[in-house]
Amino acid sequence: MAFALEIAAGGLFLAGGDEGESGVSLPGRAARRGNAWVFGHAALRVGGGTLDDFWEALSVEPVSGWGEKTSLARSMIAYHHLRELLQQMPKADDFALVLPVDILENEEKLGLVLGMAKSLGIALRALVPGPLCAVLGATERSDASKPVTVVELEPGGWSLARLTTDAEAFWSITAHHYLPELGSRVIEDFAFRAWASRFLSDHAFDIHHAEDTERAFRESVALGLEALSKGLDAELIIRGRRERRLTISPATASDLFREMATAVARRITSQLSDWTGALILTDRARHLPGLKSALIAEGWETVYEVETGATAKTLARMAEAWPPTHDLLNVPEINRLPHPSQTPLPGKPAKPAGHPHSEAATHVLIGDQAHPLASLPDANKEPTPLPGDIVDTPLGRGKAIRVLET
């Protein structure tokens, strides 16, 4: 079984299986509880010093503003975060790794991530940029003839990655921008203040009367934004002598966040003023209610959305073709991937000869690039290789692999 791990500023998602059917996630939040670290939504219940930017600002420098007993480098916090996730799926001892562009392009950050993998005894199959996987994980199939921009939400702002396809319908990243404003921290703070005010008016109850009540409500807000990103109602609940509940519908949330969503949509549109094509919103970008509608209102005709975990699940289906390695200095970095709807070139056989279609190789991996068999000279020769076969081609010797359609 092949696995794929996505590391994003907003958290971790690990998926495995031929169809990417199994998966676990852990939001990118951390806090100290006594001498131990807790992660995910459990960190919100601790209160007083919760961190949510340790992947975005990955470094060996101590976290500023913390006391001597709690101060720790972001890289060490990220390491504990990763180890906590892997304990939930112990069979994942190797995987393809999906990383943000800023980590892949920063030698220090990438070295820290590879060091974590080595310390945990993990073998890696490949390093893949997150936006590249997001294109393949879009819930609707994008048009391979048109460029796309992947929109990602991070704690401190927005990441925009431009992707285009080449003559073989392979996607690759051609540009990347970062907008350091209105990130997930701002969105959650706004939701907390607005929903706390609404809660007070509904229940005549001071949400700030006790620290534990405030922590519980903040956790409820974070969970509520996740629910809204999936098109579900947000249930904000405070339990005490009696349960107090506030329900926020997606429509209500969109109205509440309209001004902020419009501001973000205009900022994105301004940054991409000379770009055309479609937009793809990651599952984390959907945490800003109403963003898709605001982008359409700004003139974007096509806005796709990526379902939760789809990026890692898509790569898990492809990772079986890449052999794992503990030589972390030579892990291949995959900078281009085929469009899911790619079809054989005209005049080439639609199905490989000599092996069942479900088993035959579809591409040859030469270095870090996978070339479709149908596009190579002598592609009609029999037999068609199986995944794992060593193949000599006019472009050089490579390994036959099978790339599954998604």
Side-chain angles (χ1 to χ4, degrees):
M1 178 188 295
F3 293 88
L5 171 68
E6 180 188 10
I7 294 179
L12 307 173
F13 195 99
L14 179 64
D18 293 339
E19 298 299 327
E21 70 276 6
S22 59
V24 293
S25 62
L26 193 64
R29 302 176 184 277
R32 285 292 289 266
R33 184 161 59 194
N35 294 323
W37 282 92
V38 293
F39 298 94
H41 293 296
L44 285 170
R45 292 192 290 269
V46 175
T50 299
L51 287 181
D52 65 351
D53 66 345
F54 46 92
W55 285 111
E56 184 179 16
L58 189 63
S59 69
V60 296
E61 299 298 323
V63 177
S64 61
W66 280 31
E68 181 179 348
K69 294 183 179 180
T70 57
S71 181
L72 201 64
R74 284 179 172 83
S75 58
M76 184 60 68
I77 298 170
Y79 169 81
H80 288 299
H81 187 223
L82 177 57
R83 186 177 65 176
E84 177 87 1
L85 178 79
L86 295 179
Q87 289 174 349
Q88 300 180 33
M89 195 179 284
K91 293 183 179 180
D93 56 0
D94 75 79
F95 42 71
L97 188 58
V98 185
L99 292 170
V101 173
D102 69 301
I103 289 183
L104 280 171
E105 293 182 345
N106 185 300
E107 291 186 3
E108 180 183 357
K109 289 184 178 182
L110 181 57
L112 290 171
V113 173
L114 295 179
M116 294 175 202
K118 181 177 180 180
S119 179
L120 293 167
I122 298 298
L124 298 180
R125 293 173 180 255
L127 304 176
V128 188
L132 191 57
C133 292
V135 172
L136 305 186
T139 55
E140 300 177 56
R141 289 192 173 184
S142 52
D143 185 347
S145 66
K146 298 180 180 179
V148 298
T149 300
V150 175
V151 180
E152 169 73 293
L153 173 63
E154 299 181 359
W158 295 83
S159 171
L160 311 175
R162 169 80 156 178
L163 293 97
T164 58
T165 55
D166 57 21
E168 296 178 326
F170 272 63
W171 289 105
S172 62
I173 298 174
T174 56
H176 181 257
H177 296 298
Y178 184 74
L179 307 178
E181 55 216 40
L182 297 178
S184 60
R185 282 192 295 269
V186 176
I187 293 171
E188 287 194 11
D189 285 345
F190 178 82
F192 174 78
R193 293 192 302 271
W195 290 344
S197 177
R198 169 81 177 274
F199 196 92
L200 177 61
S201 65
D202 284 2
H203 296 284
F205 176 76
D206 183 5
I207 195 63
H208 299 290
H209 86 287
E211 184 181 357
D212 57 345
T213 303
E214 180 177 345
R215 285 200 303 268
F217 195 77
R218 279 195 177 275
E219 178 191 18
S220 195
V221 166
L223 290 169
L225 286 171
E226 283 195 13
L228 289 167
S229 74
K230 300 173 183 176
L232 305 174
D233 287 349
E235 294 285 348
L236 291 88
I237 304 172
I238 297 295
R239 293 182 174 89
R241 292 184 178 179
R242 63 186 181 88
E243 183 177 278
R244 297 172 172 85
R245 183 184 299 264
L246 175 65
T247 301
I248 305 291
S249 69
T252 300
S254 294
D255 289 340
L256 175 66
F257 281 91
R258 180 175 287 113
E259 185 175 343
M260 182 181 292
T262 298
V264 170
R266 288 177 178 172
R267 183 69 181 87
I268 290 174
T269 300
S270 175
Q271 181 66 57
L272 308 181
S273 59
D274 57 343
W275 293 8
T276 59
L279 298 182
I280 292 179
L281 305 183
T282 68
D283 53 335
R284 291 166 293 274
R286 298 202 314 271
H287 279 60
L288 175 53
L291 178 58
K292 180 177 181 178
S293 298
L295 287 166
I296 292 175
E298 289 299 311
W300 294 94
E301 296 182 359
T302 307
V303 181
Y304 300 108
E305 294 182 323
V306 177
E307 295 298 326
T308 301
T311 296
K313 290 178 180 179
T314 297
L315 192 61
R317 292 194 289 268
M318 306 178 71
E320 193 70 47
W322 303 324
T325 177
H326 285 279
D327 183 5
L328 300 182
L329 296 179
N330 291 300
V331 179
E333 183 174 335
I334 308 299
N335 292 315
R336 56 198 297 269
L337 286 173
H339 189 274
S341 63
Q342 180 180 342
T343 56
L345 298 177
K348 304 300 181 182
K351 292 186 179 181
H355 301 294
H357 179 61
S358 60
E359 298 177 1
T362 60
H363 294 68
V364 178
L365 185 64
I366 303 174
D368 64 353
Q369 296 189 359
H371 302 271
L373 280 170
S375 70
L376 297 174
D378 301 326
N380 285 312
K381 285 188 176 181
E382 298 185 16
T384 303
L386 287 171
D389 291 347
I390 301 301
V391 181
D392 287 313
T393 77
L395 301 179
R397 174 170 291 187
K399 182 177 181 180
I401 62 174
R402 176 168 177 78
V403 177
L404 300 180
E405 287 192 353
T406 59

